[in-house]
Amino acid sequence: IIHQQALCAKVIGFGHVMTPVVKIINNIRSKAKQHRIFKVLLEEMAAEYGDLLLHTEIRWLSRGRVLLRFLSLLGEIKEFMQSKGEDVSLLEDTEWALDLAFLTDITGKLNHLNCELQGKGKTVVNMISALNAFKAKINIFSVDIQRKKVLHFPSVQSVLKDNASASDTFDKVADKYCEVINRLGQEFENRFCDLDQLEPCVSFISNPFMNVDTTSFAEQLSTTFNLDAGQVEIEIITLQNDLHLKAYQAAPNFWCLVDTEKYSGVCTAAMKVASLFGSTYLCESAFSDMNFIKNKHRTRLTDAHLKELLTVAVSSYTPDYNTMVNSMQCQSSH
């Protein structure tokens, strides 16, 4: 899901903004002396940040962070380039500054969604919830731009506040921004349409006591997870009328309390939903842990030791050190 979300972000485009930003950053940071002078300038001007960030295409959050840092230091960058006799007409262009601010805001929102999809313990339930919330927010963002309020675009607000002539320019480019937001929303709908079939099943697993059409829902659940529709229908009715289980419906480990023999069908569906891999985050984080363990100073590391170290690195288990220490017999001489 995270990979699909990153692909959705590519439909925004705005190459006329991103290309000059990356070029300016690379130009400043590529030469050591020039880079040091720029950092000294930022320090003297008490800038919000002490340096620019390099853009890395393969990193999920790179573009949003680079743009935010660049926009925050736009005044300092302009002054530095002027001192070097370089052309700053693009940076002084109001429309380009608005495009930069809009791209910063929209990528910031995508970064926020990306962070919500990351982390251990994120099940497909959490991911579908985050995606549905973001798709609903996209409609709000579009309406916000159409009404010229920009309540959800702080960077655009900042540019409009600092530049008196930016309001007239914003009226001209507002339709372009709405088109970009709508295109982004449509891309999310197209890429995640396969989750629409899974969503009712996930909703039931999250809240098994919700009001549903038992017959049609049992058929959908059985089709999705290859179960017996008649058995699942009876189990749903029985479970929703189980007063003992109703008392534990808010428990985080609810399905651990359900009798797997009595409710074999719905328990199987619950286990399959819990085991769905919403992203490759765990695999990638484990690979990063392995790279950290297999450094150049550990040339005699065996496969067996690597496996044991990796198991400890990815595990959330915390040993009871007090019990372990108390079970050890100390040497009398010590």
Side-chain angles (χ1 to χ4, degrees):
I1 290 178
I2 296 179
H3 179 64
Q4 294 290 331
Q5 184 263 344
L7 292 177
C8 288
K10 293 184 179 295
V11 304
I12 296 177
F14 273 60
H16 68 286
V17 174
M18 202 64 205
T19 301
V21 167
V22 173
K23 185 177 179 181
I24 291 171
I25 293 173
N26 291 343
N27 183 44
I28 293 174
R29 295 201 50 165
S30 61
K31 301 173 184 177
K33 181 180 178 181
Q34 185 167 268
H35 186 204
R36 287 196 300 271
I37 295 173
F38 179 71
K39 289 166 66 174
V40 170
L41 174 66
L42 295 180
E43 185 177 351
E44 290 177 350
M45 298 182 68
E48 185 176 357
Y49 299 101
D51 199 2
L52 289 169
L53 295 176
L54 288 171
H55 176 56
T56 308
E57 185 66 31
I58 60 173
R59 293 185 179 273
W60 290 327
L61 309 180
S62 177
R63 181 164 67 159
R65 290 175 174 175
V66 167
L67 288 169
L68 180 61
R69 183 73 62 92
F70 187 90
L71 183 62
S72 301
L73 300 176
L74 186 61
E76 291 81 358
I77 294 171
K78 192 185 303 181
E79 184 171 334
F80 178 76
M81 292 178 64
Q82 285 176 337
S83 67
K84 295 292 180 180
E86 299 180 16
D87 183 22
V88 294
S89 58
L90 181 65
L91 301 182
E92 294 177 341
D93 185 4
T94 304
E95 183 174 346
W96 188 87
L98 283 171
D99 288 349
L100 172 63
F102 171 76
L103 186 61
T104 302
D105 285 330
I106 202 68
T107 51
K109 298 180 189 307
L110 287 166
N111 279 6
H112 180 71
L113 171 62
N114 196 291
C115 291
E116 287 186 331
L117 300 176
Q118 296 182 42
K120 294 182 179 180
K122 294 287 186 179
T123 63
V124 72
V125 179
N126 305 117
M127 292 188 164
I128 291 178
S129 300
L131 283 172
N132 287 343
F134 185 78
K135 287 191 286 187
K137 291 174 186 176
I138 286 178
N139 297 328
I140 300 298
F141 298 154
S142 179
V143 173
D144 189 39
I145 291 291
Q146 289 175 354
R147 293 178 177 178
K148 312 293 191 301
K149 290 185 177 180
V150 293
L151 298 175
H152 305 285
F153 297 87
S155 298
V156 176
Q157 283 183 6
S158 178
V159 173
L160 292 174
K161 183 178 180 180
D162 296 339
N163 194 333
S165 62
S167 298
D168 296 333
T169 307
F170 179 76
D171 293 339
K172 300 177 183 177
V173 298
D175 292 337
K176 179 178 67 174
Y177 297 161
C178 288
E179 182 183 349
V180 172
I181 295 173
N182 294 334
R183 187 166 67 243
L184 180 64
Q186 187 59 48
E187 186 69 12
F188 268 87
E189 292 290 345
N190 295 339
R191 285 196 177 272
F192 295 106
C193 60
D194 54 338
L195 294 180
D196 294 339
Q197 180 183 358
L198 185 63
E199 185 178 344
C201 304
V202 171
S203 299
F204 173 77
I205 300 304
S206 301
N207 181 17
F209 296 97
M210 60 189 295
N211 294 323
V212 293
D213 182 357
T214 310
T215 303
S216 61
F217 187 78
E219 292 178 355
Q220 188 173 16
L221 202 65
S222 59
T223 302
T224 305
F225 298 111
N226 194 22
L227 301 171
D228 183 354
Q231 178 187 348
V232 171
E233 184 177 7
I234 296 299
E235 289 181 5
I236 291 175
I237 295 173
T238 307
L239 183 140
Q240 290 188 334
N241 290 278
D242 192 324
L243 297 179
H244 178 70
L245 289 177
K246 278 187 177 181
Y248 297 99
Q249 60 179 318
N253 59 338
F254 171 81
W255 288 103
C256 296
L257 306 174
V258 179
D259 189 346
T260 54
E261 294 184 1
K262 184 178 180 181
Y263 303 102
S264 59
V266 290
C267 282
T268 300
M271 286 188 287
K272 288 186 175 182
V273 168
S275 63
L276 286 173
F277 285 94
S279 75
T280 58
Y281 175 83
L282 294 177
C283 300
E284 294 184 18
S285 61
F287 186 73
S288 298
D289 290 330
M290 187 182 70
N291 282 337
F292 181 77
I293 294 170
K294 290 182 65 176
N295 58 64
K296 62 181 181 180
H297 302 294
R298 309 185 73 165
T299 56
R300 301 185 65 183
L301 188 67
T302 64
D303 290 343
H305 286 159
L306 175 62
K307 181 180 178 181
E308 292 167 357
L309 291 170
L310 192 58
T311 302
V312 173
V314 301
S315 174
S316 59
Y317 172 72
T318 303
D320 188 349
Y321 294 107
N322 292 329
T323 303
M324 293 172 63
V325 170
N326 293 332
S327 65
M328 300 294 292
Q329 183 178 0
C330 299
Q331 294 292 337
S332 57
S333 61
H334 294 86

Short mmCIF file of all heavy atoms in Angstrom, two decimals, residues 80-125:
data_model
loop_
_atom_site.label_atom_id
_atom_site.label_comp_id
_atom_site.label_asym_id
_atom_site.label_seq_id
_atom_site.Cartn_x
_atom_site.Cartn_y
_atom_site.Cartn_z
N PHE A 80 21.83 34.89 -1.33
CA PHE A 80 23.11 34.24 -1.60
C PHE A 80 23.39 34.20 -3.10
O PHE A 80 24.52 34.47 -3.54
CB PHE A 80 23.09 32.82 -1.03
CG PHE A 80 24.33 32.03 -1.29
CD1 PHE A 80 25.49 32.27 -0.57
CD2 PHE A 80 24.36 31.04 -2.27
CE1 PHE A 80 26.65 31.55 -0.81
CE2 PHE A 80 25.50 30.32 -2.51
CZ PHE A 80 26.66 30.57 -1.78
N MET A 81 22.36 33.88 -3.89
CA MET A 81 22.56 33.82 -5.34
C MET A 81 22.83 35.20 -5.93
O MET A 81 23.64 35.34 -6.86
CB MET A 81 21.32 33.18 -6.00
CG MET A 81 21.13 31.70 -5.67
SD MET A 81 19.65 30.98 -6.41
CE MET A 81 19.99 31.14 -8.16
N GLN A 82 22.20 36.23 -5.37
CA GLN A 82 22.45 37.60 -5.83
C GLN A 82 23.89 38.02 -5.54
O GLN A 82 24.53 38.70 -6.34
CB GLN A 82 21.47 38.55 -5.17
CG GLN A 82 20.05 38.48 -5.73
CD GLN A 82 19.09 39.38 -4.98
OE1 GLN A 82 19.31 39.72 -3.81
NE2 GLN A 82 17.99 39.75 -5.63
N SER A 83 24.40 37.59 -4.38
CA SER A 83 25.78 37.93 -4.03
C SER A 83 26.78 37.25 -4.97
O SER A 83 27.90 37.73 -5.13
CB SER A 83 26.07 37.52 -2.58
OG SER A 83 26.05 36.11 -2.44
N LYS A 84 26.36 36.15 -5.59
CA LYS A 84 27.22 35.45 -6.54
C LYS A 84 27.00 35.91 -7.98
O LYS A 84 27.63 35.41 -8.92
CB LYS A 84 26.95 33.94 -6.47
CG LYS A 84 27.32 33.30 -5.14
CD LYS A 84 28.81 33.32 -4.92
CE LYS A 84 29.18 32.67 -3.60
NZ LYS A 84 30.64 32.68 -3.37
N GLY A 85 26.08 36.88 -8.17
CA GLY A 85 25.80 37.40 -9.50
C GLY A 85 24.97 36.47 -10.35
O GLY A 85 24.98 36.57 -11.58
N GLU A 86 24.23 35.57 -9.72
CA GLU A 86 23.41 34.62 -10.48
C GLU A 86 22.00 35.17 -10.68
O GLU A 86 21.53 36.05 -9.95
CB GLU A 86 23.36 33.28 -9.74
CG GLU A 86 24.71 32.61 -9.57
CD GLU A 86 24.61 31.29 -8.84
OE1 GLU A 86 23.49 30.75 -8.73
OE2 GLU A 86 25.65 30.79 -8.36
N ASP A 87 21.32 34.64 -11.68
CA ASP A 87 19.98 35.08 -12.04
C ASP A 87 18.97 34.56 -11.01
O ASP A 87 18.90 33.35 -10.75
CB ASP A 87 19.62 34.57 -13.43
CG ASP A 87 18.26 35.05 -13.89
OD1 ASP A 87 17.78 36.07 -13.35
OD2 ASP A 87 17.65 34.40 -14.77
N VAL A 88 18.17 35.46 -10.42
CA VAL A 88 17.17 35.06 -9.42
C VAL A 88 15.77 35.44 -9.88
O VAL A 88 14.84 35.53 -9.07
CB VAL A 88 17.47 35.72 -8.05
CG1 VAL A 88 18.78 35.20 -7.48
CG2 VAL A 88 17.50 37.24 -8.17
N SER A 89 15.61 35.67 -11.17
CA SER A 89 14.29 36.08 -11.69
C SER A 89 13.23 35.02 -11.43
O SER A 89 12.06 35.34 -11.17
CB SER A 89 14.39 36.39 -13.18
OG SER A 89 14.86 35.25 -13.90
N LEU A 90 13.63 33.74 -11.50
CA LEU A 90 12.66 32.67 -11.26
C LEU A 90 12.19 32.69 -9.81
O LEU A 90 10.98 32.54 -9.55
CB LEU A 90 13.30 31.31 -11.58
CG LEU A 90 12.39 30.09 -11.39
CD1 LEU A 90 11.23 30.13 -12.39
CD2 LEU A 90 13.17 28.79 -11.55
N LEU A 91 13.10 32.92 -8.88
CA LEU A 91 12.73 32.93 -7.47
C LEU A 91 11.86 34.13 -7.12
O LEU A 91 11.13 34.11 -6.12
CB LEU A 91 13.98 32.94 -6.59
CG LEU A 91 14.96 31.77 -6.77
CD1 LEU A 91 16.13 31.90 -5.81
CD2 LEU A 91 14.26 30.44 -6.57
N GLU A 92 11.93 35.20 -7.92
CA GLU A 92 11.13 36.40 -7.67
C GLU A 92 9.80 36.37 -8.40
O GLU A 92 8.97 37.27 -8.21
CB GLU A 92 11.93 37.64 -8.09
CG GLU A 92 13.16 37.88 -7.23
CD GLU A 92 13.97 39.07 -7.71
OE1 GLU A 92 13.78 39.47 -8.89
OE2 GLU A 92 14.78 39.60 -6.92
N ASP A 93 9.59 35.33 -9.22
CA ASP A 93 8.33 35.19 -9.96
C ASP A 93 7.22 34.77 -8.98
O ASP A 93 7.31 33.73 -8.34
CB ASP A 93 8.50 34.15 -11.06
CG ASP A 93 7.26 34.04 -11.94
OD1 ASP A 93 6.31 34.82 -11.74
OD2 ASP A 93 7.22 33.16 -12.82
N THR A 94 6.17 35.57 -8.90
CA THR A 94 5.09 35.30 -7.93
C THR A 94 4.38 33.99 -8.23
O THR A 94 4.08 33.21 -7.31
CB THR A 94 4.08 36.46 -7.95
OG1 THR A 94 4.75 37.70 -7.70
CG2 THR A 94 3.00 36.24 -6.90
N GLU A 95 4.09 33.74 -9.50
CA GLU A 95 3.38 32.51 -9.85
C GLU A 95 4.22 31.28 -9.51
O GLU A 95 3.70 30.28 -9.01
CB GLU A 95 3.03 32.51 -11.34
CG GLU A 95 2.21 31.29 -11.76
CD GLU A 95 1.75 31.36 -13.20
OE1 GLU A 95 1.82 32.46 -13.79
OE2 GLU A 95 1.31 30.33 -13.75
N TRP A 96 5.52 31.36 -9.78
CA TRP A 96 6.39 30.22 -9.47
C TRP A 96 6.47 30.01 -7.95
O TRP A 96 6.48 28.88 -7.47
CB TRP A 96 7.80 30.46 -10.02
CG TRP A 96 8.69 29.26 -9.91
CD1 TRP A 96 8.80 28.23 -10.79
CD2 TRP A 96 9.60 28.97 -8.83
NE1 TRP A 96 9.71 27.31 -10.34
CE2 TRP A 96 10.22 27.74 -9.14
CE3 TRP A 96 9.95 29.63 -7.66
CZ2 TRP A 96 11.17 27.15 -8.31
CZ3 TRP A 96 10.88 29.04 -6.81
CH2 TRP A 96 11.48 27.82 -7.15
N ALA A 97 6.50 31.10 -7.19
CA ALA A 97 6.53 30.99 -5.73
C ALA A 97 5.26 30.35 -5.20
O ALA A 97 5.30 29.54 -4.26
CB ALA A 97 6.73 32.38 -5.11
N LEU A 98 4.12 30.69 -5.82
CA LEU A 98 2.85 30.06 -5.42
C LEU A 98 2.86 28.57 -5.76
O LEU A 98 2.38 27.74 -4.97
CB LEU A 98 1.68 30.75 -6.10
CG LEU A 98 1.24 32.10 -5.51
CD1 LEU A 98 0.22 32.78 -6.41
CD2 LEU A 98 0.66 31.91 -4.11
N ASP A 99 3.39 28.24 -6.94
CA ASP A 99 3.49 26.83 -7.33
C ASP A 99 4.38 26.07 -6.34
O ASP A 99 4.08 24.93 -5.96
CB ASP A 99 4.06 26.70 -8.74
CG ASP A 99 3.06 27.13 -9.80
OD1 ASP A 99 1.88 27.33 -9.44
OD2 ASP A 99 3.46 27.28 -10.98
N LEU A 100 5.48 26.68 -5.94
CA LEU A 100 6.39 26.07 -4.97
C LEU A 100 5.67 25.85 -3.64
O LEU A 100 5.79 24.77 -3.03
CB LEU A 100 7.61 26.96 -4.77
CG LEU A 100 8.58 26.56 -3.65
CD1 LEU A 100 9.20 25.20 -3.93
CD2 LEU A 100 9.67 27.61 -3.47
N ALA A 101 4.93 26.85 -3.18
CA ALA A 101 4.21 26.75 -1.91
C ALA A 101 3.13 25.67 -1.98
O ALA A 101 2.97 24.87 -1.04
CB ALA A 101 3.59 28.09 -1.54
N PHE A 102 2.40 25.62 -3.10
CA PHE A 102 1.35 24.61 -3.26
C PHE A 102 1.95 23.20 -3.28
O PHE A 102 1.44 22.28 -2.61
CB PHE A 102 0.58 24.86 -4.56
CG PHE A 102 -0.39 23.76 -4.90
CD1 PHE A 102 -1.60 23.64 -4.24
CD2 PHE A 102 -0.08 22.84 -5.90
CE1 PHE A 102 -2.49 22.61 -4.55
CE2 PHE A 102 -0.95 21.82 -6.22
CZ PHE A 102 -2.16 21.71 -5.54
N LEU A 103 3.05 23.03 -4.03
CA LEU A 103 3.70 21.72 -4.10
C LEU A 103 4.23 21.31 -2.72
O LEU A 103 4.17 20.14 -2.35
CB LEU A 103 4.83 21.75 -5.13
CG LEU A 103 5.52 20.42 -5.42
CD1 LEU A 103 4.53 19.41 -5.97
CD2 LEU A 103 6.67 20.61 -6.40
N THR A 104 4.75 22.27 -1.96
CA THR A 104 5.23 21.98 -0.61
C THR A 104 4.11 21.49 0.28
O THR A 104 4.26 20.52 1.04
CB THR A 104 5.88 23.24 0.00
OG1 THR A 104 6.95 23.69 -0.83
CG2 THR A 104 6.39 22.97 1.39
N ASP A 105 2.96 22.15 0.20
CA ASP A 105 1.82 21.77 1.05
C ASP A 105 1.27 20.40 0.67
O ASP A 105 1.02 19.56 1.55
CB ASP A 105 0.71 22.82 0.94
CG ASP A 105 1.03 24.09 1.70
OD1 ASP A 105 1.75 24.00 2.71
OD2 ASP A 105 0.56 25.17 1.29
N ILE A 106 1.08 20.16 -0.61
CA ILE A 106 0.46 18.90 -1.03
C ILE A 106 1.39 17.72 -0.79
O ILE A 106 0.96 16.63 -0.39
CB ILE A 106 0.00 18.98 -2.52
CG1 ILE A 106 -1.08 17.93 -2.80
CG2 ILE A 106 1.15 18.83 -3.47
CD1 ILE A 106 -2.40 18.20 -2.12
N THR A 107 2.69 17.90 -0.99
CA THR A 107 3.63 16.82 -0.70
C THR A 107 3.77 16.60 0.81
O THR A 107 4.00 15.48 1.26
CB THR A 107 5.02 17.10 -1.30
OG1 THR A 107 5.44 18.41 -0.91
CG2 THR A 107 5.00 17.00 -2.80
N GLY A 108 3.60 17.67 1.57
CA GLY A 108 3.60 17.53 3.03
C GLY A 108 2.45 16.67 3.50
O GLY A 108 2.61 15.84 4.42
N LYS A 109 1.29 16.84 2.89
CA LYS A 109 0.12 16.02 3.25
C LYS A 109 0.33 14.56 2.84
O LYS A 109 -0.08 13.64 3.55
CB LYS A 109 -1.13 16.61 2.60
CG LYS A 109 -1.43 18.03 3.07
CD LYS A 109 -2.66 18.59 2.44
CE LYS A 109 -2.82 20.08 2.74
NZ LYS A 109 -2.76 20.39 4.17
N LEU A 110 0.95 14.36 1.69
CA LEU A 110 1.26 12.99 1.25
C LEU A 110 2.29 12.35 2.18
O LEU A 110 2.23 11.15 2.46
CB LEU A 110 1.77 13.01 -0.19
CG LEU A 110 0.71 13.29 -1.27
CD1 LEU A 110 1.38 13.62 -2.60
CD2 LEU A 110 -0.23 12.10 -1.42
N ASN A 111 3.25 13.13 2.64
CA ASN A 111 4.24 12.62 3.59
C ASN A 111 3.59 12.22 4.91
O ASN A 111 3.95 11.22 5.52
CB ASN A 111 5.32 13.67 3.86
CG ASN A 111 6.37 13.70 2.77
OD1 ASN A 111 6.24 13.02 1.75
ND2 ASN A 111 7.40 14.49 2.96
N HIS A 112 2.62 13.01 5.34
CA HIS A 112 1.90 12.70 6.58
C HIS A 112 1.15 11.37 6.43
O HIS A 112 1.17 10.54 7.35
CB HIS A 112 0.93 13.83 6.92
CG HIS A 112 0.15 13.60 8.17
ND1 HIS A 112 0.72 13.64 9.42
CD2 HIS A 112 -1.17 13.29 8.36
CE1 HIS A 112 -0.20 13.38 10.34
NE2 HIS A 112 -1.35 13.16 9.72
N LEU A 113 0.52 11.18 5.27
CA LEU A 113 -0.16 9.90 5.01
C LEU A 113 0.84 8.76 4.99
O LEU A 113 0.59 7.69 5.54
CB LEU A 113 -0.91 9.98 3.67
CG LEU A 113 -1.51 8.67 3.16
CD1 LEU A 113 -2.57 8.14 4.13
CD2 LEU A 113 -2.11 8.86 1.77
N ASN A 114 1.99 8.99 4.35
CA ASN A 114 3.01 7.95 4.27
C ASN A 114 3.49 7.54 5.65
O ASN A 114 3.67 6.35 5.92
CB ASN A 114 4.19 8.46 3.43
CG ASN A 114 5.10 7.36 2.97
OD1 ASN A 114 5.78 6.74 3.77
ND2 ASN A 114 5.11 7.10 1.68
N CYS A 115 3.66 8.49 6.54
CA CYS A 115 4.10 8.19 7.91
C CYS A 115 3.02 7.41 8.67
O CYS A 115 3.35 6.55 9.51
CB CYS A 115 4.44 9.47 8.66
SG CYS A 115 5.93 10.30 8.06
N GLU A 116 1.75 7.70 8.37
CA GLU A 116 0.67 6.96 9.02
C GLU A 116 0.64 5.50 8.57
O GLU A 116 0.18 4.62 9.31
CB GLU A 116 -0.68 7.62 8.71
CG GLU A 116 -0.93 8.92 9.43
CD GLU A 116 -2.33 9.44 9.20
OE1 GLU A 116 -2.90 9.15 8.12
OE2 GLU A 116 -2.88 10.11 10.08
N LEU A 117 1.12 5.23 7.36
CA LEU A 117 1.13 3.87 6.84
C LEU A 117 2.36 3.09 7.29
O LEU A 117 2.40 1.87 7.10
CB LEU A 117 1.08 3.90 5.30
CG LEU A 117 -0.14 4.57 4.67
CD1 LEU A 117 0.00 4.60 3.16
CD2 LEU A 117 -1.42 3.84 5.06
N GLN A 118 3.34 3.77 7.85
CA GLN A 118 4.57 3.11 8.28
C GLN A 118 4.47 2.68 9.74
O GLN A 118 3.59 3.11 10.46
CB GLN A 118 5.78 4.04 8.12
CG GLN A 118 6.09 4.43 6.69
CD GLN A 118 7.32 5.32 6.62
OE1 GLN A 118 8.32 5.08 7.29
NE2 GLN A 118 7.24 6.36 5.81
N GLY A 119 5.43 1.85 10.15
CA GLY A 119 5.54 1.47 11.55
C GLY A 119 5.12 0.04 11.82
O GLY A 119 4.36 -0.56 11.06
N LYS A 120 5.65 -0.50 12.91
CA LYS A 120 5.28 -1.85 13.31
C LYS A 120 3.87 -1.85 13.89
O LYS A 120 3.41 -0.87 14.46
CB LYS A 120 6.27 -2.36 14.36
CG LYS A 120 7.68 -2.55 13.82
CD LYS A 120 8.60 -3.10 14.90
CE LYS A 120 10.00 -3.32 14.32
NZ LYS A 120 10.93 -3.86 15.35
N GLY A 121 3.19 -2.96 13.75
CA GLY A 121 1.84 -3.09 14.28
C GLY A 121 0.77 -2.46 13.42
O GLY A 121 -0.40 -2.39 13.83
N LYS A 122 1.14 -1.99 12.23
CA LYS A 122 0.16 -1.40 11.32
C LYS A 122 -0.50 -2.51 10.52
O LYS A 122 0.12 -3.14 9.66
CB LYS A 122 0.83 -0.42 10.37
CG LYS A 122 1.41 0.82 11.04
CD LYS A 122 0.32 1.77 11.48
CE LYS A 122 0.92 3.06 12.02
NZ LYS A 122 -0.10 4.02 12.43
N THR A 123 -1.75 -2.79 10.82
CA THR A 123 -2.49 -3.81 10.08
C THR A 123 -3.18 -3.18 8.87
O THR A 123 -3.19 -1.96 8.71
CB THR A 123 -3.54 -4.47 10.98
OG1 THR A 123 -4.51 -3.47 11.37
CG2 THR A 123 -2.89 -5.07 12.22
N VAL A 124 -3.75 -4.02 8.03
CA VAL A 124 -4.44 -3.52 6.85
C VAL A 124 -5.66 -2.68 7.26
O VAL A 124 -6.10 -1.81 6.51
CB VAL A 124 -4.84 -4.70 5.95
CG1 VAL A 124 -5.98 -5.51 6.56
CG2 VAL A 124 -5.22 -4.23 4.55
N VAL A 125 -6.19 -2.93 8.47
CA VAL A 125 -7.31 -2.13 8.98
C VAL A 125 -6.87 -0.67 9.16
O VAL A 125 -7.57 0.26 8.74
CB VAL A 125 -7.80 -2.70 10.33
CG1 VAL A 125 -8.95 -1.85 10.88
CG2 VAL A 125 -8.25 -4.15 10.17
#
